[in-house]
Amino acid sequence: INAEYMGFWLTEEGTDSVAMATSVRDLSSEAPEPSIPPLSVVPFTSSQPLSPEQVSQYHRDGFLRIGDMFSAVELSALTSWTTQLQNWPETPHKFMKYFEDSLLQPGTRILSRIELFAEYHAGLRRVCTEVLSSKVRELYGEDVVLFKEKINFKLPGGGDFKPHQDAQAGWDMFGTLHVTVLISIDEATMENGCLELAAGRHKEGLLGPMWAPLPDEVVSTFQWQAAPTRPGDVVIFDSFVPHKSGVNPTNNARRVLYVTYGFAREGDHRLAYYAEKRKNLPPDCERLPGVSYQYKV
């Protein structure tokens, strides 16, 4: 079966995985690279359970950093898979690739991010539906469903992300709270635009209008905490945590995988979310001539 959109649901009670609703074409095996470990030898079993202190810290601050979550083999696979997706050709009505103007080479468009790829890559599908969802279950003690997945590439010359809360992007249409798990593929530093977060402010709810960066008068009250990460580090944060990241003027990419979950009790809204996004902000290869499209938050 070759499908553009397929839903996700949780497997039988007692398991930690979020499974694909049906099998779809897997593009990850169409152009194998010798450096990519076979999926069968990538265990994804090295992660330790979260401690009570880590759970408490997450709920206090709204985010949690976990270092060295992956083995060398697992990290090698994640890096290779990210490069695979980076090299996939733009394909209308499938995965969604977005580009931006380079800050280092004016007039040049560079890859900004890719979304909706779990259907087309067995390895990353496993990461999204099994490996990371278990951490969110540990934090909240309930089942979750995959809401969205993306890789922000932030290549040399990549732009910034203004201070915002993910909830400002209309996510309230799809649930009351969402939780994102970030995996750092490359080293992320202040120099190349690592994530910065405002601890504790998630408890205040929505701090600005929908579909716009947070107002300056609100941002001025934040105490930002930088979250530099090494390859394989993880940061988990909820959709009300204010966060931002700077530009990347360096010669090194700052690729980050973001996987976002909703609660199973609130339903599976992934298909509806991506249908809405494709309509309002289609990937570059699907855009109509003469139509202006604007990324907001």
Side-chain angles (χ1 to χ4, degrees):
I1 300 174
N2 184 8
E4 293 174 11
Y5 307 106
M6 289 295 168
F8 291 73
W9 79 98
L10 276 134
T11 57
E12 295 181 4
E13 186 175 358
T15 66
D16 287 337
S17 60
V18 182
M20 294 296 298
T22 186
S23 60
V24 296
R25 184 183 181 194
D26 177 19
L27 300 182
S28 60
S29 61
E30 292 195 356
E33 299 176 22
S35 61
I36 300 178
L39 183 58
S40 59
V41 302
V42 185
F44 287 114
T45 58
S46 59
S47 175
Q48 298 297 314
L50 297 176
S51 68
E53 292 76 19
Q54 287 176 308
V55 174
S56 176
Q57 179 185 344
Y58 170 80
H59 288 289
R60 181 194 69 209
D61 295 340
F63 60 90
L64 176 69
R65 180 183 174 278
I66 306 171
D68 300 320
M69 182 167 157
F70 300 101
S71 69
V73 170
E74 293 164 350
L75 181 56
S76 175
L78 288 167
T79 302
S80 297
W81 295 340
T82 298
T83 301
Q84 265 194 327
L85 268 64
Q86 190 171 339
N87 293 331
W88 278 357
E90 293 179 85
T91 307
H93 311 300
K94 289 186 177 179
F95 47 87
M96 304 164 73
K97 298 187 84 169
Y98 295 87
F99 294 76
E100 62 181 330
D101 293 328
S102 171
L103 300 177
L104 297 180
Q105 296 178 304
T108 301
R109 298 279 286 173
I110 58 175
L111 181 62
S112 173
R113 67 187 185 279
I114 184 172
E115 303 200 27
L116 190 67
F117 49 77
E119 286 85 340
Y120 307 104
H121 197 286
L124 288 172
R125 179 162 65 246
R126 181 179 170 194
V127 171
C128 293
T129 61
E130 298 178 26
V131 179
L132 301 182
S133 61
S134 64
K135 291 303 175 189
V136 182
R137 285 170 57 103
E138 287 185 64
L139 288 169
Y140 287 92
E142 61 178 290
D143 292 341
V144 297
V145 291
L146 182 63
F147 176 57
K148 62 173 293 183
E149 74 280 359
K150 67 177 180 178
I151 297 172
N152 282 356
F153 291 96
K154 197 166 282 197
L155 301 176
D160 61 355
F161 289 90
K162 303 299 183 185
H164 68 281
Q165 297 167 295
D166 288 339
Q168 291 178 272
W171 289 11
D172 60 319
M173 296 171 53
F174 309 105
T176 57
L177 182 71
H178 295 87
V179 183
T180 294
V181 185
L182 166 166
I183 303 178
S184 189
I185 304 301
D186 304 309
E187 183 178 17
T189 66
M190 285 297 292
E191 288 72 30
N192 67 12
C194 72
L195 188 67
E196 300 176 61
L197 310 100
R201 303 303 295 266
H202 64 298
K203 299 176 182 179
E204 301 174 37
L206 205 63
L207 296 172
M210 301 297 284
W211 301 110
L214 289 168
D216 291 342
E217 61 269 22
V218 174
V219 173
S220 66
T221 68
F222 296 161
Q223 292 185 339
W224 293 107
Q225 292 187 21
T229 48
R230 297 174 299 178
D233 287 354
V234 164
V235 179
I236 308 175
F237 59 99
D238 79 31
S239 51
F240 287 95
V241 175
H243 57 285
K244 66 176 182 175
S245 65
V247 301
N248 181 9
T250 75
N251 294 321
N252 301 311
R254 191 233 62 175
R255 298 173 299 175
V256 172
L257 169 65
Y258 290 88
V259 185
T260 302
Y261 301 92
F263 296 112
R265 58 180 162 79
E266 296 189 329
D268 180 349
H269 301 288
R270 182 172 179 270
L271 304 186
Y273 169 79
Y274 274 118
E276 187 74 12
K277 181 159 192 171
R278 192 182 291 274
K279 179 178 69 175
N280 295 318
L281 190 69
D284 288 41
C285 67
E286 296 178 26
R287 296 185 178 185
L288 300 174
V291 177
S292 176
Y293 300 94
Q294 182 180 4
Y295 177 83
K296 297 179 181 178
V297 292

